[in-house]
């Protein structure tokens, strides 16, 4: 269905980048939580257009109205969105008869992936769909794993410091669920590879085919590699860079000797982390950061390179 949506986007767009933007914008905006032009008191209403670029309203309308090709895109993609989250503003011509279904995680049939969250991450990570022209590395993390983690840390302070417990939360008290986190790390990898792929469909197929061949390790190893590269801008110290990047987005500076200190510099970088009750305590942020690092490294069957000890938090 993504490939077919891209095909019709190609009929209306002037470039390959526009085609990808039209298709991703269509899927993303079916969920009203990923279509907002402002910062507000609701953490879900991040200014997504500032990071992902604008969606094409004419394309949305044409796809929602035209069912002559036998493919009902709003029915399909809308089925993965809760009733209360359907976006009748950006999809005023759409009919959404089904909703609230889940997309199965191909590596774990008992778990699910949030489809519109997934599309939003790809849209925000892929630079050619518009959005912010500066500090792309910061914003691609904030639109994905770091944004969800900061939101959870800000709201769970001193209540939940175990990352597995955060992932297990569902419903209104869930700020970094498993289905969101997997959408984050899968979307991050696919969004970065999209630059080198002719289509979104092919980038998705390539990623999940590699996962099918190499197992679930591939998902988490790719995530570690991505964050490690962001920190050092080469892959020689991927695990070390991954650990430092996780702590960095929690407002902490992790030194090679394991010592941890505050690193709260860029205001927009920690907006979600501070917005609830101010910056959470250093020790709480440390405990969560260690839990995240331990969880991902265990999934990837890797060992930490920087030994973490809470007694070294200053």
């Amino acid at each position: 269905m993504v490939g077919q949506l891209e095909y019709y986007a190609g009929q209306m767009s002037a470039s390959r980048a526009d085609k990808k933007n039209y298709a991703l914008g269509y899927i993303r905006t079916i969920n009203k939580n990923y279509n907002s032009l402002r910062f507000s008191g609701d953490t879900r209403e991040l200014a997504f257009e500032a990071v992902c670029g604008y969606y094409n309203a004419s394309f949305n309308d044409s796809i929602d109205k035209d069912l002559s090709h036998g493919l009902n895109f709003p029915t399909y993609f809308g089925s993965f969105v809760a009733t209360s989250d359907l976006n009748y503003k950006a999809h005023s011509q759409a009919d959404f008869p089904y909703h609230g279904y889940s997309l199965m995680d191909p590596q774990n049939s008992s778990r699910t992936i949030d489809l519109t969250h997934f599309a939003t991450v790809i849209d925000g990570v892929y630079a050619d769909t518009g959005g912010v022209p500066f500090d792309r590395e910061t914003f691609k993390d904030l639109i994905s794993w770091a944004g969800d983690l900061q939101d959870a840390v800000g709201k769970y302070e001193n209540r939940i410091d175990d990352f597995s417990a955060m992932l297990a939360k569902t419903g209104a008290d869930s700020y970094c669920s498993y289905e969101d986190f997997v959408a984050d790390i899968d979307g991050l990898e696919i969004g970065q590879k999209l630059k080198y792929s002719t289509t979104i469909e092919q980038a998705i197929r390539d990623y999940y085919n590699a996962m099918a061949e190499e197992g679930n390790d591939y998902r988490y190893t790719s995530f570690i590699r991505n964050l490690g590269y962001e920190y050092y801008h080469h892959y020689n110290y991927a695990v070390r860079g991954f650990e430092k990047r996780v702590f960095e987005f929690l407002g902490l500076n992790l030194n090679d000797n394991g010592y941890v200190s505050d690193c709260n510099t860029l205001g927009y970088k920690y907006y979600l982390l501070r917005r609830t009750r101010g910056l959470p305590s250093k020790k709480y942020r440390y405990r969560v950061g260690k839990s995240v690092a331990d969880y991902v490294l265990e999934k990837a069957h890797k060992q930490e390179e920087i030994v973490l000890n809470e007694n070294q938090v200053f």
Side-chain angles (χ1 to χ4, degrees):
M1 290 296 282
V2 171
Q4 290 299 307
L5 184 64
E6 279 185 279
Y7 170 79
Y8 290 107
Q11 308 303 301
M12 290 186 62
S13 59
S15 69
R16 182 182 296 177
D18 281 345
K19 179 178 73 170
K20 293 174 180 177
N21 193 40
Y22 290 3
L24 289 169
Y26 178 90
I27 302 169
R28 170 173 63 85
T29 56
I30 285 179
N31 189 324
K32 66 183 182 183
N33 297 311
Y34 304 126
N35 171 211
S36 174
L37 295 174
R38 64 189 184 279
F39 289 98
S40 76
D42 185 343
T43 57
R44 296 177 304 175
E45 291 196 4
L46 178 66
F48 286 102
E49 273 67 25
V51 183
C52 300
Y54 292 95
Y55 69 93
N56 188 289
S58 297
F59 177 69
N60 282 14
D61 287 346
S62 69
I63 289 295
D64 289 337
K65 287 189 297 185
D66 184 10
L67 306 180
S68 62
H69 39 64
L71 296 171
N72 194 320
F73 291 103
T75 294
Y76 177 76
F77 289 111
S79 69
F80 297 106
V81 179
T83 308
S84 59
D85 291 334
L86 288 167
N87 189 356
Y88 289 98
K89 183 177 180 181
H91 292 270
S92 60
Q93 306 298 316
D95 180 29
F96 298 116
Y98 306 112
H99 34 76
Y101 287 85
S102 298
L103 183 68
M104 186 181 72
D105 178 358
Q107 269 299 311
N108 186 344
S109 60
S110 67
R111 309 302 291 266
T112 59
I113 299 175
D114 185 325
L115 176 63
T116 52
H117 193 102
F118 174 67
T120 301
V121 172
I122 297 174
D123 203 5
V125 170
Y126 178 55
D128 290 340
T129 60
V132 291
F134 65 95
D135 203 1
R136 171 62 60 179
E137 283 191 336
T138 293
F139 278 96
K140 73 183 182 185
D141 286 324
L142 287 176
I143 198 92
S144 59
W145 69 275
D148 285 334
L149 180 62
Q150 287 187 4
D151 194 18
V153 169
K155 291 179 175 174
Y156 288 142
E157 183 175 6
N158 298 323
R159 291 193 295 129
I160 304 175
D161 58 15
D162 178 70
F163 190 58
S164 295
M166 288 185 183
L167 295 181
K169 283 286 187 180
T170 58
D173 195 32
S174 171
Y175 307 107
C176 187
S177 67
Y178 177 88
E179 69 172 6
D180 282 347
F181 183 64
V182 171
D184 287 333
I185 60 180
D186 288 3
L188 178 65
E189 174 74 2
I190 292 167
Q192 294 189 147
K193 293 292 179 63
L194 198 53
K195 178 179 179 181
Y196 309 102
S197 178
T198 55
T199 65
I200 306 166
E201 177 188 6
Q202 192 58 53
I204 292 172
R205 287 188 184 279
D206 289 346
Y207 177 74
Y208 288 113
N209 283 340
M211 191 184 295
E213 291 178 4
E214 299 183 31
N216 207 29
D217 286 9
Y218 182 79
R219 168 180 281 159
Y220 294 98
T221 299
S222 297
F223 183 49
I224 291 167
R225 186 183 66 245
N226 281 329
L227 267 59
Y229 182 83
E230 287 175 8
Y231 195 87
Y232 284 114
H233 290 98
H234 58 68
Y235 296 110
N236 290 355
Y237 308 102
V239 171
R240 183 178 298 268
F242 160 75
E243 292 179 90
K244 291 191 175 191
R245 192 68 167 165
V246 169
F247 276 79
E248 180 183 357
F249 272 96
L250 291 172
L252 296 170
N253 181 44
L254 174 62
N255 295 299
D256 287 339
N257 58 10
Y259 284 85
V260 176
S261 57
D262 267 322
C263 176
N264 184 18
T265 52
L266 301 174
Y268 61 84
K269 193 171 191 174
Y270 304 106
Y271 172 76
L272 290 168
L273 186 61
R274 297 183 306 194
R275 67 183 302 167
T276 306
R277 292 183 295 273
L279 199 64
S281 71
K282 193 185 304 180
K283 287 211 170 183
Y284 176 71
R285 285 178 283 139
Y286 168 85
R287 289 195 296 269
V288 174
K290 184 179 188 309
S291 182
V292 172
D294 287 346
Y295 177 89
V296 174
L297 290 170
E298 181 181 355
K299 290 289 185 181
H301 296 99
K302 295 182 179 295
Q303 299 294 319
E304 62 182 19
E305 290 187 2
I306 300 176
V307 179
L308 300 172
N309 185 331
E310 191 167 333
N311 293 327
Q312 299 185 132
V313 179
F314 292 91

